[in-house]
């Protein structure tokens, strides 16, 4: 089986290149090999490879920048995923695509179901929602996986920023009233491999159903909870930590260009029902990331 991964230079794409290896030949392309800002070139790339599975981990993820660059974000997050879905349908290939908690406005009390009304607050969320709809409109076999608060031991992300700031400052102030599930790229990739394996079996048995699924780590946290877990875990591992105090502030006091939902908690019930997957608590992913970083040369 031939599996095409786009966005191989990103957090999730890098992990996918590892987790999908047992399933077949993995062709992992970064933006130079599969450029989602050029939909026609992307179409030609897929046709030259003819994969049986496409996993699209590429996206325009600069949430605040997208407020002034929505047209480009729309090409990468909506038009190109639509092209991938069209080509997947033509090939009879399975498409896996990642979306976001930001398709919701965060006004709901409790966890969002896949079927709940969408109402994105920012350009990034609007373009990701447009991508979901473009994929559904193409009509081939697909799974759209909505995830949240993604991080890894590499690249730019919230926990790595906290580690840097904690080594430089004595006091950190972090948003305390936005809630979600911090989800490691490694977990996303490992669960994706499980989904691909089962979905391929369903396709072979002619009982596959395309749908949107929520896929995050278990549990819930505020950004403050996550920051404290990172700082405390780093200190326990002997990593450089100067910060003696990590305190909370309301989101209203932290000025950003793009509004974020206050509630990004996603229900995982459908994931458990269809795929028998119950992801581990988010703290396990943070611990694994810190173990990896603490073991790196020069970490202490």
């Amino acid at each position: 089986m031939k599996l095409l991964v786009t966005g191989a230079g990103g957090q999730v794409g890098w992990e996918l290149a590892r987790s999908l290896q047992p399933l077949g030949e993995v062709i992992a392309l970064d933006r130079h090999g599969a450029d989602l800002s050029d939909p026609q070139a992307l179409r030609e790339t897929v046709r030259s490879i003819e994969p049986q599975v496409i996993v699209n981990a590429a996206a325009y993820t600069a949430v605040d920048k997208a407020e002034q660059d929505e047209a480009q974000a729309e090409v990468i997050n909506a038009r190109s995923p639509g092209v991938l879905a069209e080509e997947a349908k033509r090939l009879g290939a399975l498409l896996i695509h990642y979306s976001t908690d930001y398709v919701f406005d965060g006004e709901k009390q409790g966890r969002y179901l896949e079927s709940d009304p969408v109402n994105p607050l920012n350009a990034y969320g609007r373009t990701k929602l447009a991508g979901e709809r473009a994929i559904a409109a193409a009509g081939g076999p697909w799974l759209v996986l909505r995830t949240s608060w993604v991080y890894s031991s590499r690249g730019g992300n919230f926990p790595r920023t906290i580690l840097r700031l904690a080594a430089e400052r004595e006091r950190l102030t972090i948003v305390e009233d936005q809630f979600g599930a911090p989800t490691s790229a490694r977990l996303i990739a490992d669960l994706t491999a499980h989904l691909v394996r089962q979905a391929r079996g369903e396709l072979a048995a002619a009982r596959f159903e395309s749908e949107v699924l929520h896929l995050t780590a278990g549990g819930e946290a505020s950004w403050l909870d996550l920051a404290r877990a990172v700082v405390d875990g780093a200190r326990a591992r002997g990593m450089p930590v100067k910060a003696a105090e990590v305190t909370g502030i309301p989101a209203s006091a932290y000025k950003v260009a793009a509004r974020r939902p206050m509630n990004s908690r996603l229900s995982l019930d459908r994931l458990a029902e269809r795929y028998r997957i119950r992801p581990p608590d988010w703290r396990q992913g943070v611990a694994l990331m810190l173990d990896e970083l603490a073991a790196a040369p020069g970490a202490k």
Side-chain angles (χ1 to χ4, degrees):
M1 180 170 60
K2 191 181 295 184
L3 305 97
L4 170 62
V5 175
T6 64
Q11 297 179 110
V12 175
W14 191 88
E15 294 286 353
L16 283 166
R18 170 194 55 81
S19 67
L20 296 176
Q21 286 291 337
L23 302 183
E25 178 189 358
V26 178
I27 301 169
L29 302 179
D30 61 15
R31 69 181 64 180
H32 302 293
D35 185 1
L36 270 71
S37 68
D38 188 342
Q40 184 55 39
L42 181 67
R43 188 185 301 275
E44 293 168 2
T45 296
V46 176
R47 291 186 176 184
S48 69
I49 296 171
E50 295 190 335
Q52 285 77 52
V53 176
I54 301 171
V55 184
N56 180 35
Y60 187 110
T61 57
V63 176
D64 291 314
K65 185 179 177 183
E67 294 299 300
Q68 288 76 43
D69 197 19
E70 187 165 357
Q72 180 73 350
E74 193 274 339
V75 171
I76 295 171
N77 289 345
R79 284 179 56 195
S80 283
V83 165
L84 291 175
E86 292 166 4
E87 292 305 305
K89 180 182 181 182
R90 186 183 64 83
L91 292 166
L94 171 68
L95 173 65
I96 306 289
H97 174 77
Y98 301 102
S99 190
T100 175
D101 54 301
Y102 282 15
V103 300
F104 298 114
D105 60 17
E107 295 297 322
K108 181 178 180 177
Q109 300 297 313
R111 294 179 177 272
Y112 278 97
L113 303 174
E114 288 86 348
S115 57
D116 280 332
V118 291
N119 184 33
L121 300 176
N122 54 49
Y124 170 72
R126 288 191 294 272
T127 61
K128 292 297 285 183
L129 178 58
E132 292 187 12
R133 290 171 171 168
I135 289 168
W142 53 266
L143 291 174
V144 168
L145 308 177
R146 290 180 183 149
T147 190
S148 68
W149 296 21
V150 179
Y151 66 90
S152 76
S153 59
R154 63 192 302 276
N157 55 65
F158 181 82
R160 283 177 59 89
T161 298
I162 291 300
L163 286 172
R164 175 177 57 81
L165 294 177
E168 299 170 352
R169 303 179 184 179
E170 294 184 354
R171 182 173 183 268
L172 303 180
T173 55
I174 309 295
V175 170
E176 64 183 353
D177 53 357
Q178 290 176 336
F179 295 88
T183 305
S184 74
R186 177 184 296 185
L187 177 64
I188 293 170
D190 288 347
L191 295 185
T192 297
H194 179 89
L195 297 179
V196 168
R197 186 182 297 109
Q198 182 165 328
R200 287 279 296 175
E202 292 175 351
L203 282 166
R207 56 183 178 83
F208 176 82
E209 295 182 9
S210 298
E211 67 175 322
V212 175
L213 288 170
H214 292 166
L215 188 153
T216 70
E220 63 184 67
S222 67
W223 292 112
L224 177 62
D225 294 331
L226 176 54
R228 284 176 171 166
V230 169
V231 171
D232 291 345
R235 183 180 288 112
R237 288 164 175 80
M239 299 170 71
V241 175
K242 183 177 181 180
E245 186 178 7
V246 183
T247 60
I249 58 170
S252 58
Y254 187 72
K255 302 304 179 185
V256 290
R259 291 177 62 200
R260 270 77 163 170
M262 302 299 287
N263 174 25
S264 286
R265 293 173 291 181
L266 305 179
S267 171
L268 302 176
D269 290 347
R270 178 57 180 161
L271 187 69
E273 176 187 357
R274 178 171 175 180
Y275 290 101
R276 304 294 187 267
I277 292 175
R278 297 190 182 278
D281 186 84
W282 64 271
R283 295 172 185 83
Q284 293 188 29
V286 171
L288 286 171
M289 178 202 68
L290 290 172
D291 286 344
E292 184 176 347
L293 291 173
K300 299 178 181 179

